[in-house]
Amino acid sequence: MTEFDQGVAVAARPDDEAVFDARLGEGWQIGAGVNGGLLLAVMGNALRTRFADDGHPDPVAVSAYYLSASRPGPAVLRTEVLRRGRSMGTGQVSLVQEQDGRPVERVRALATYGDLGGLPDDVRTTATPPDMPPPEQCISKDLAPPDFMERASFLNRLDLRLDPACVGWAVGDPSGRGLLQGWLRMADGREPDPLLMLLAADALPPVTFDLGMLGWTPTLELSVHVRANPAPGWLAVTHRTRNYAGGLLEEDAEVWDSTGRLVAQSRQLARAPR
Amino acid sequence: MTEFDQGVAVAARPDDEAVFDARLGEGWQIGAGVNGGLLLAVMGNALRTRFADDGHPDPVAVSAYYLSASRPGPAVLRTEVLRRGRSMGTGQVSLVQEQDGRPVERVRALATYGDLGGLPDDVRTTATPPDMPPPEQCISKDLAPPDFMERASFLNRLDLRLDPACVGWAVGDPSGRGLLQGWLRMADGREPDPLLMLLAADALPPVTFDLGMLGWTPTLELSVHVRANPAPGWLAVTHRTRNYAGGLLEEDAEVWDSTGRLVAQSRQLARAPR
């Protein structure tokens, strides 16, 4: 089993098909918490089992509100089916952890599931893939300072190569454009699929690095649209912000597959580093 | 009371502060349904009362999943507080209508509330306001065909002036850029506030008109970020799409106030017209 599939594994309770148990791995940490994209993928994995029998196995739209910081360890996922439709289904999922002896909700999400493989094949996308050097000419995370890597264990699960034009912040010279981009694949070779898009949309460093702010940017809300089954191979990922104001910013991500198709788009509202 | 304030009015039940009654007005219809932005504003109005006493009266992020088409008439709003924080609170709200004698959920939303007036005043927005002629040189809805207006009563609540460069579709010559923009204010002079942003984000015709598809584009998911208290006066609103594929499209909206500040951003996933 791959690291990602282990990371998102859930077990339905025998007495209640709506409730799942999971264990958030220590290998997915960022700072003291668990990577928000991995949390979304765990939640997405639980909810997808509720729609798989309807022929709607793929997350198409997922919107998550982050309530408190998740920690490595056991987690319970409570799901609710809101609507079973002909072409899509919509549900809700909540991730809860025990803290000081009582259940504390970490994330709540709404999501719509469908069959990406069954969508019509008309594509009239005007967006264009990111312009950046090939992966072998990009900056590997192996160049990151060891104390940063220690606090971001989830980066060890990834093979992440950042566009050299977007890493000026690492040497005190951020571009100020509000753009980060790079190549992404899983370190153990696990190929992308719709569920992995939920991780890919929140896997790069925060775009605020490119504005010269190297602190932590907690996510308030993250919505991901998965628009196609990604092809095997490298993913090209961009993060942009255009509206940094009032201590908050939006971060828009695009995920492009190896055939040059825009397979996922996401937007989050995050708190700027203090 | 203004038309908008009447349209979003809710009454808490004396025996349960979490449940509200509302009436969806016939003046807010689009086709057989009720405008999705107005629904979001009704839901946002119910949920805000749960956070007003915390000093968090403003919707900051709202994500709604549309489950079935709402009809004019009575509606019940069920709210749930998920988290009360120091600077923000997060909750859930569901809009339900009776249909054939049983309750049917129309929309479910998650939302975070805060105090937009209390945010720090640093603004480093790189996005730029739309480039279009002043309202008096734009195209009023009064030029729309009467049979279209009949099916879109909610347009009578608005003073909407579309950029002439974006209305080629009205004469069979859409630009194909995937861009619609115009000026918006309420017909009765009601000034904008954060709640009105939830309507403004979904008030223009669908951006697919500019791709030559004049049909209905039902919203699957709509997320709105309200980023500042809008100043009085005209709002400039843009709708863009860059990824039309597989029968679905994203529609990104920006709302700019009369001082040139980007006060709201939204993204929706919609079904393309058949």
Side-chain angles (χ1 to χ4, degrees):
Chain A
M1 200 190 252
T2 69
E3 290 183 328
F4 178 73
D5 293 288
Q6 279 181 318
V8 301
V10 296
R13 292 203 176 155
D15 59 338
D16 189 345
E17 61 161 12
V19 182
F20 300 78
D21 289 292
R23 172 167 285 275
L24 305 180
E26 304 203 340
W28 296 95
Q29 277 179 277
I30 169 79
V34 177
N35 171 263
L38 189 272
L39 296 175
L40 205 57
V42 174
M43 297 168 78
N45 197 27
L47 196 52
R48 77 196 297 225
T49 68
R50 304 294 307 278
F51 294 110
D53 289 346
D54 299 348
H56 306 147
D58 303 317
V60 174
V62 183
S63 300
Y65 281 67
Y66 292 79
L67 303 166
S68 59
S70 300
R71 307 282 177 228
V76 176
L77 297 130
R78 299 186 181 279
T79 64
E80 179 185 355
V81 171
L82 304 183
R83 178 176 177 271
R84 294 189 187 276
R86 193 174 45 82
S87 65
M88 295 201 186
T90 300
Q92 176 177 296
V93 53
S94 169
L95 190 151
V96 177
Q97 289 189 301
E98 197 92 6
Q99 181 176 307
D100 303 329
R102 62 189 184 87
V104 177
E105 189 165 3
R106 303 304 197 192
V107 195
R108 187 174 293 198
L110 297 170
T112 287
Y113 283 71
D115 175 15
L116 291 171
L119 293 179
D121 54 9
D122 59 319
V123 177
R124 293 200 261 163
T125 299
T126 57
T128 50
D131 182 21
M132 59 182 172
E136 55 278 12
Q137 292 170 29
C138 285
I139 309 291
S140 156
K141 69 168 192 305
D142 302 339
L143 296 182
D147 60 335
F148 179 80
M149 287 299 292
E150 249 172 53
R151 293 168 44 81
S153 67
F154 92 99
L155 288 177
N156 292 319
R157 312 281 81 71
L158 312 177
D159 188 352
L160 182 60
R161 315 281 181 97
L162 293 176
D163 179 355
C166 298
V167 295
W169 44 269
V171 292
D173 186 24
S175 88
R177 291 176 298 173
L179 171 65
L180 265 188
Q181 59 190 19
W183 300 96
L184 174 69
R185 62 181 179 189
M186 301 309 289
D188 65 5
R190 200 267 194 200
E191 293 292 358
D193 67 1
L195 197 63
L196 187 72
M197 296 301 98
L198 305 184
L199 173 68
D202 197 31
L204 265 60
V207 69
T208 37
F209 280 22
D210 190 49
L211 301 178
M213 292 174 281
L214 298 185
W216 172 236
T217 55
T219 303
L220 301 177
E221 183 264 331
L222 170 61
S223 288
V224 184
H225 298 166
V226 185
R227 300 295 302 279
N229 278 312
W234 284 102
L235 300 167
V237 184
T238 66
H239 282 202
R240 277 192 181 78
T241 188
R242 299 164 63 243
N243 191 19
Y244 177 101
L248 301 171
L249 68 145
E250 103 285 20
E251 183 168 77
D252 284 357
E254 290 179 2
V255 184
W256 297 78
D257 75 5
S258 61
T259 71
R261 175 135 186 209
L262 179 50
V263 289
Q265 291 169 285
S266 77
R267 174 173 287 170
Q268 66 173 271
L269 184 65
R271 260 187 221 278
R274 290 173 209 275
Chain B
M1 201 188 248
T2 69
E3 290 182 329
F4 178 73
D5 293 287
Q6 279 182 320
V8 301
V10 296
R13 292 203 176 156
D15 59 339
D16 189 345
E17 61 161 12
V19 182
F20 300 78
D21 289 293
R23 172 168 285 275
L24 305 180
E26 303 201 341
W28 296 96
Q29 278 180 275
I30 169 80
V34 177
N35 170 261
L38 189 274
L39 295 175
L40 205 57
V42 174
M43 297 168 78
N45 197 27
L47 195 52
R48 77 196 296 224
T49 69
R50 304 293 309 277
F51 293 110
D53 289 347
D54 299 349
H56 306 148
D58 303 318
V60 174
V62 183
S63 299
Y65 281 67
Y66 292 80
L67 303 166
S68 59
S70 300
R71 307 286 176 223
V76 176
L77 298 129
R78 299 186 181 279
T79 64
E80 179 186 355
V81 171
L82 305 182
R83 178 175 176 271
R84 293 188 187 277
R86 195 174 44 84
S87 64
M88 294 200 186
T90 299
Q92 176 177 297
V93 53
S94 168
L95 190 151
V96 177
Q97 290 189 300
E98 198 90 6
Q99 182 176 305
D100 302 330
R102 61 188 185 87
V104 177
E105 189 166 4
R106 303 303 198 194
V107 195
R108 187 173 294 198
L110 297 169
T112 287
Y113 282 70
D115 175 14
L116 290 170
L119 293 179
D121 55 7
D122 58 318
V123 177
R124 294 200 259 163
T125 299
T126 57
T128 51
D131 181 20
M132 58 182 174
E136 55 278 13
Q137 292 171 31
C138 285
I139 309 290
S140 156
K141 70 170 191 304
D142 301 340
L143 297 181
D147 60 336
F148 179 80
M149 286 300 292
E150 249 172 54
R151 293 170 43 80
S153 68
F154 93 100
L155 288 177
N156 292 318
R157 313 280 82 69
L158 312 177
D159 188 351
L160 181 61
R161 314 281 181 96
L162 293 176
D163 179 355
C166 297
V167 296
W169 45 267
V171 293
D173 186 24
S175 87
R177 292 176 297 174
L179 171 65
L180 265 189
Q181 58 190 20
W183 300 96
L184 174 69
R185 62 182 179 189
M186 301 309 289
D188 65 3
R190 201 268 193 197
E191 293 291 359
D193 66 0
L195 197 63
L196 187 73
M197 297 301 97
L198 305 184
L199 172 68
D202 197 31
L204 265 59
V207 71
T208 38
F209 280 22
D210 190 49
L211 300 178
M213 292 175 282
L214 298 186
W216 172 236
T217 55
T219 303
L220 301 176
E221 183 264 331
L222 170 60
S223 288
V224 184
H225 297 167
V226 185
R227 300 295 302 279
N229 278 312
W234 284 101
L235 300 167
V237 184
T238 68
H239 282 202
R240 277 192 182 78
T241 189
R242 298 164 64 243
N243 190 20
Y244 178 101
L248 301 171
L249 69 143
E250 103 284 22
E251 182 168 80
D252 285 357
E254 291 179 0
V255 184
W256 298 77
D257 75 5
S258 61
T259 71
R261 174 135 187 209
L262 179 50
V263 290
Q265 291 169 284
S266 77
R267 174 173 287 171
Q268 66 173 272
L269 184 66
R271 261 189 222 278
R274 292 172 208 275

